[in-house]
Amino acid sequence: MPRKHVETIVLSGGDGDGGRGEDQKERQLRLGAWIGNQRSRAATLSPERVEQLSAIGMRWA
C-alpha cells in the first residue's frame, strides 16, 4: 500500500437511528502512513501486537 493512501470512513453520531441522522461525519485516516510506521517499528512492537497485525494480513516486508 502506498504511504500516501488515505481511507475515508463515516462516523455516526450515535443518535440511535442506525446512522441515518444528520450527525454523520466523514474522517480521513492516513492508513498508508500508519502501516508504514508499524512496519518501521516492528522490532519494538510487543509480540502480541505483531501477532494481531499478522492475523489480519499485515505484510512486514
Side-chain angles (χ1 to χ4, degrees):
M1 174 176 301
R3 187 158 179 85
K4 292 183 179 183
H5 181 82
V6 175
E7 285 288 323
T8 302
I9 61 170
V10 177
L11 304 171
S12 66
D15 55 5
D17 72 354
R20 296 181 301 263
E22 298 294 323
D23 292 339
Q24 288 186 343
K25 298 178 184 176
E26 285 190 359
R27 182 168 178 196
Q28 292 189 336
L29 302 175
R30 297 179 345 207
L31 187 58
W34 183 85
I35 289 175
N37 290 340
Q38 299 306 297
R39 286 180 179 149
S40 68
R41 296 177 184 138
T44 61
L45 296 175
S46 70
E48 295 82 13
R49 184 67 164 181
V50 172
E51 184 178 333
Q52 290 170 336
L53 291 170
S54 295
I56 61 169
M58 179 72 151
R59 291 182 299 184
W60 295 99

